[in-house]
Amino acid sequence: SLYAKEIEQLKKETGWDVLVNQTPNQQELQNKVKEICWQYEIVPSKVSYMPLTQSMQVKCCEEVSQDQKDKISEAFEKMTCMRLDFK
């Protein structure tokens, strides 16, 4: 597992069992996409979870420069370890 060592450390520190959900919280992922877009003054019109690729896709109300797309995608991936694509 990608975070097995960190999860084991959390178990030891808290005394709690730590379980990883196999399916992501889609609403929270959509919120994160919107949050990052708003930081760059971009208004997303539609945010979707793509289950086959386990990635997110965003469609924006206005044209977004490639530089902004790259920065937003990079920030989202750093935060979630999940890819973000622009449509």
Side-chain angles (χ1 to χ4, degrees), residues 40 64-74 86:
Y40 289 88
V64 180
S65 73
Q66 188 60 48
D67 184 54
Q68 286 178 309
K69 289 178 184 179
D70 292 344
K71 287 178 181 177
I72 293 167
S73 295
E74 185 178 307
F86 284 82

Side-chain angles (χ1 to χ4, degrees), residues 14-30:
T14 63
W16 298 348
D17 282 335
V18 178
L19 303 174
V20 177
N21 191 345
Q22 294 300 317
T23 56
N25 180 331
Q26 295 176 33
Q27 185 63 45
E28 187 60 28
L29 288 169
Q30 289 174 340

Side-chain angles (χ1 to χ4, degrees), residues 7-87:
I7 291 170
E8 196 57 42
Q9 183 63 34
L10 282 173
K11 285 181 181 181
K12 288 178 184 175
E13 289 176 11
T14 63
W16 298 348
D17 282 335
V18 178
L19 303 174
V20 177
N21 191 345
Q22 294 300 317
T23 56
N25 180 331
Q26 295 176 33
Q27 185 63 45
E28 187 60 28
L29 288 169
Q30 289 174 340
N31 290 341
K32 292 297 178 193
V33 170
K34 291 175 185 177
E35 179 183 309
I36 295 169
C37 284
W38 291 331
Q39 289 174 4
Y40 289 88
E41 299 180 1
I42 302 298
V43 179
S45 61
K46 184 176 180 182
V47 181
S48 304
Y49 173 65
M50 311 304 286
L52 294 177
T53 58
Q54 292 190 344
S55 63
M56 297 298 290
Q57 186 177 79
V58 62
K59 185 175 182 181
C60 297
C61 294
E62 57 202 41
E63 189 64 33
V64 180
S65 73
Q66 188 60 48
D67 184 54
Q68 286 178 309
K69 289 178 184 179
D70 292 344
K71 287 178 181 177
I72 293 167
S73 295
E74 185 178 307
F76 182 76
E77 187 169 351
K78 185 176 182 180
M79 182 183 292
T80 66
C81 296
M82 185 177 283
R83 194 176 82 237
L84 173 64
D85 298 316
F86 284 82
K87 185 172 182 182

